Amino acid sequence: MANNLKILGQVNPSANTLSNVYIVPASTAAIVNSIHVTNLTATNASYSIVVVPSTDNSSSPLPKHFVVRGSAIPASDTAQLDFVMELPAGTVLAANSNQSLAISAFGVEIS
């Protein structure tokens, strides 16, 4: 098994639109070590982070999928979320915000 340290995904989601940050590739597992959320605006913003397993066929996130829901981030600030998530193949890590944010996920892919 190969372990690849990497930037798993980066996104600048449109306001009020759920956007995929990272999808775990087939035949791969991933460990997300940290997620950085940067507010690119001069006003406070809110954001949500969801994790949807490949076994869940819902068309929109369910309450059980939210890792962070409606968290506030001050203007021009960065929130660093340091917790480990082990994700199997096909799992989707996605984010939503009410303003312009930059969201990055860092970790390890295991194939």
Side-chain angles (χ1 to χ4, degrees), residues 48-70:
S48 297
I49 305 288
V50 298
V51 174
V52 182
S54 63
T55 55
D56 197 327
N57 295 322
S58 60
S59 59
S60 61
L62 301 173
K64 67 182 181 179
H65 296 141
F66 284 85
V67 176
V68 176
R69 184 173 181 134

Side-chain angles (χ1 to χ4, degrees), residues 3-93:
N3 294 344
N4 299 313
L5 298 169
K6 64 187 294 186
I7 299 170
L8 297 173
Q10 296 180 304
V11 68
N12 180 236
S14 299
N16 302 310
T17 302
L18 187 65
S19 300
N20 292 345
V21 177
Y22 173 66
I23 301 172
V24 183
S27 301
T28 304
I31 299 172
V32 178
N33 295 322
S34 67
I35 299 172
H36 296 198
V37 180
T38 302
N39 186 347
L40 302 172
T41 69
T43 59
N44 294 345
S46 67
Y47 67 95
S48 297
I49 305 288
V50 298
V51 174
V52 182
S54 63
T55 55
D56 197 327
N57 295 322
S58 60
S59 59
S60 61
L62 301 173
K64 67 182 181 179
H65 296 141
F66 284 85
V67 176
V68 176
R69 184 173 181 134
S71 186
I73 183 167
S76 304
D77 200 0
T78 298
Q80 184 171 325
L81 310 175
D82 289 324
F83 51 85
V84 175
M85 292 188 291
E86 298 174 4
L87 307 178
T91 300
V92 176
L93 174 65

